[in-house]
Amino acid sequence: AALYEQAPTPAKGQVGRRPEKVKRTPMLMSLFSLTCLFAIEMLKSKSLPILSSAWYDKKDEATFADILAFVRRDIWVARHFNDSTFEGDYVKIRPEDWDALLNQLARAA
């Protein structure tokens, strides 16, 4: 019930505070827009993986969750996992497993 209650109207002559919802909306829309713009730029060189599941058929359409995971994974790889040195044959985790782990992390976060 508290989510739907209307904020009290300020008394005549008082300056009222803006509801928190009004303050957050522009920031959330900005983050949404930036994420979509990052994804559009990334799509010039990579393909967007679309996760499917048995309970939800997206008909090959990406959702915002797919886009967010796509951008998040790319940022993580570029920022945290790209500066390791290559030591020949020494591999602690196979590249396929590493890729799968990063995909799972990007979707879970």
Side-chain angles (χ1 to χ4, degrees):
L3 291 175
Y4 300 105
E5 291 177 6
Q6 188 171 358
T9 308
K12 194 162 186 107
Q14 279 186 327
V15 177
R17 290 184 45 185
R18 291 173 49 183
E20 290 298 316
K21 180 179 175 183
V22 174
K23 292 179 186 178
R24 287 190 304 258
T25 302
M27 184 186 308
L28 290 174
M29 291 305 295
S30 298
L31 288 172
F32 175 83
S33 299
L34 283 173
T35 303
C36 291
L37 289 172
F38 288 149
I40 288 169
E41 191 63 31
M42 290 167 50
L43 285 172
K44 293 177 182 176
S45 61
K46 302 173 184 172
S47 62
L48 174 64
I50 299 173
L51 185 68
S52 61
S53 62
W55 58 271
Y56 183 63
D57 182 22
K58 294 190 247 182
K59 301 192 187 313
D60 297 326
E61 294 286 328
T63 62
F64 184 68
D66 293 323
I67 294 168
L68 186 60
F70 179 58
V71 171
R72 183 185 290 147
R73 184 187 190 288
D74 194 67
I75 290 171
W76 286 350
V77 168
R79 184 167 182 183
H80 299 292
F81 305 119
N82 228 8
D83 57 354
S84 61
T85 59
F86 179 69
E87 298 180 14
D89 294 335
Y90 185 72
V91 177
K92 286 186 176 182
I93 185 169
R94 294 187 326 226
E96 311 84 58
D97 295 337
W98 180 247
D99 214 32
L101 177 64
L102 284 175
N103 287 335
Q104 290 293 324
L105 286 173
R107 293 200 177 273

